[in-house]
Each structure stands twice: as C-alpha cells, then as structure tokens.
Amino acid sequence: MSSDDIDVPDFGYLPFDHYVMTKWNPTSPLPATQQKKHLVENWIKLGKYGRREYLREIPDPDEIPSDIPQDLLTRKERAHNGQIERTLFIRTWYGDPNNTESREKADSDYARLIGVISDEYGELGLMMDEFFVFDDKEVISSLQAQSGGEGRDERVEFSDGVAIARPGSMPSYVLTALTHCPDQIDGSRVEDLDDFPPDELIEGWQMLLVIIADRKACEDGWVLHLAINHKGHVLPFRVRDRADYVSTNLGNWSDGQRLTENTLNPEEDVEMYMDHGGSASGWD
C-alpha cells in the first residue's frame, strides 16, 4: 500500500492537533522539529485529565490560523497516531559509534534477537504494527552517547549500552518514539466521561508497554519491559525477560495483563529477571 492509499485524518481530528493550535509559537527561534519535541513532551506531561481539554470538534479549514503548521506529523504518522496498538518496541543499542567491529556485532546481535523473538509466533511485524517498532540509529544512538556515563545522575539513561530506566522518569527514547505518535499515550478516541478516578489512583495505571532492545537484550537475550503511565513516566516494577518470551508478554498485554501482575509489590523499585525455571541465560 502506497502512502497515497492510507486513510489520513484531517488536521483537527487528533487531540494533539488542538494542542498544537493552542501552543504553537510562530515567532519561536527554535527549529520546528525542536519546538515539536517540546510540545510533545509537555503534551505527555499534561496527563490523562489535562489532555481531555483538547478533545474538541474538528475545525473548519478556514478556522485554522495560517501560521499553525499542519505537517508536524507525516501522513503515515497521522494515520497511525492514536491507533489501538499499545506497545512500543525500541532498539537502543547500536554498538560503539567509533568502532566498526562493535557496530557490526551490534547489528548481528540485534538480528539474532529479532529472530528469536519472531521464532515463537512469526515475524515481529506480524505480532504488532511495524510502525511501532523504532529502529533509528542516528537519533537513538546520539541519545545514548549523551548519557553514557556511570553514577546516580538522574539524567543518565545508559551504562555501557545497558538501559537504566528510573521510576518516575520519562526516558528520552520513549519521548523520541512518541514524537511520531503523541496521541498513542491515550488513543485518539478517548472516552469523555464526567466521573474519573482520583489522580493518585491513575498514577499507577499502565498506558503503554515499552520493550527495549538495549545491549543486555541484544547480547544476552534479556529484554527490558517497561510499564509507562499516563504522564509518560516509568512505573517502578520493570521486567527483564528471555527473548523467546517477548511475544508471549506482548500477547498478554494485548489481552489486558499489566506488567505489575508479575509481582505482589507493584510499588517496589526493582528490575526483575523472569528466569522461568532457573535459566541463567536469556537465550534459553
């Protein structure tokens, strides 16, 4: 199917469109891509209730100011934004950018990982919409290079290629993925009800499952699973599971099983290895 054949919603259909109309600064010195990233980050931070303000009727084309960009999302992104898929698969390990052998090994290891994941139920692209599989070497590898140090600095997201997902943070790679589908955090057809649970209750709700192919996943087969709440924050309980269980976990989440159902203490700050009977390897 060509890009001309996809069903693309008009500008103003998506809640994020209305946020852009309200918040876009046509006089900003920032490049459009950078201003868009800031808008997406603030959009996610609004949370479930804050975003409901932007559930509005589609405006007539002549009501949209001429200085409001309508192309911040590509046609393909507009067509997918807010769809039923609630899983993001993000590759973050590309090897040492200054070492050709390391880069080639990282590509080989990643191919093996995808092969093992796909062996269970068929190709990854058949288990989830391939649009939500993010493999962008230029963008993600630069994010990793910016935060590759050690220590407890909250801004450090990787240690020697291994993702450090801190509870309460919005990882840069999650934000980067959501810049392509900002309404994915809720879905474009969010129920507009009068009675909602209190904020403190929905803080622990899982809105997205984010599966990370970092160095530990690519080299050792231990794939990181993150539960993301309505503000884009990592929830405390995380899972490292074997590569051959990723498809099972993806299916369980699609059927409504949250990541926290693997623990009796969902508020515990822990990254649990699901060894399925004592295996010391993520490959078997």
Side-chain angles (χ1 to χ4, degrees), residues 15-186:
F16 183 68
D17 293 339
H18 293 277
Y19 187 71
V20 171
M21 291 177 62
T22 303
K23 300 296 184 179
W24 184 262
N25 180 3
T27 64
S28 172
L30 293 175
T33 54
Q34 192 64 33
Q35 190 175 170
K36 173 192 172 184
K37 185 174 182 178
H38 289 323
L39 283 179
V40 172
E41 182 173 12
N42 290 330
W43 167 252
I44 301 302
K45 288 179 177 178
L46 282 177
K48 193 174 184 69
Y49 295 162
R51 288 187 292 271
R52 290 179 187 277
E53 178 186 340
Y54 299 93
L55 292 170
R56 301 174 182 174
E57 297 294 327
I58 300 175
D60 291 329
D62 57 5
E63 295 177 354
I64 303 172
S66 60
D67 55 6
I68 297 298
Q70 300 185 34
D71 59 353
L72 292 180
L73 299 173
T74 67
R75 285 175 54 81
K76 188 173 184 179
E77 289 169 348
R78 290 192 64 78
H80 285 76
N81 191 20
Q83 295 303 308
I84 195 170
E85 183 68 65
R86 304 307 295 274
T87 304
L88 307 179
F89 187 103
I90 307 175
R91 178 186 178 185
T92 64
W93 175 240
Y94 295 92
D96 183 343
N98 300 312
N99 186 309
T100 301
E101 183 177 350
S102 173
R103 296 198 305 272
E104 291 176 348
K105 181 179 183 301
D107 288 343
S108 176
D109 289 343
Y110 178 70
R112 177 191 182 189
L113 175 67
I114 296 301
V116 172
I117 292 173
S118 299
D119 278 349
E120 197 69 20
Y121 293 110
E123 294 184 9
L124 181 62
L126 298 177
M127 291 183 283
M128 60 180 292
D129 193 319
E130 63 181 7
F131 174 83
F132 298 104
V133 178
F134 295 93
D135 180 5
D136 191 333
K137 182 179 297 186
E138 297 303 318
V139 173
I140 302 295
S141 60
S142 66
L143 293 174
Q144 180 175 290
Q146 293 168 19
S147 62
E150 300 279 357
R152 293 298 300 174
D153 189 327
E154 292 299 313
R155 296 168 297 178
V156 174
E157 296 184 333
F158 298 94
S159 176
D160 198 21
V162 177
I164 303 171
R166 304 191 191 282
S169 70
M170 184 194 303
S172 60
Y173 43 85
V174 173
L175 174 59
T176 295
L178 288 172
T179 60
H180 297 281
C181 49
D183 285 296
Q184 209 63 26
I185 196 74
D186 286 319

Side-chain angles (χ1 to χ4, degrees), residues 227-265:
I228 302 297
N229 77 358
H230 70 122
K231 292 185 177 178
H233 294 159
V234 175
L235 291 174
F237 180 74
R238 292 95 65 203
V239 161
R240 287 270 182 187
D241 212 340
R242 287 171 17 193
D244 60 352
Y245 267 78
V246 168
S247 55
T248 299
N249 295 334
L250 197 158
N252 289 342
W253 166 239
S254 297
D255 290 338
Q257 180 177 313
R258 296 172 296 175
L259 206 62
T260 53
E261 292 183 33
N262 293 283
T263 180
L264 296 176
N265 188 2

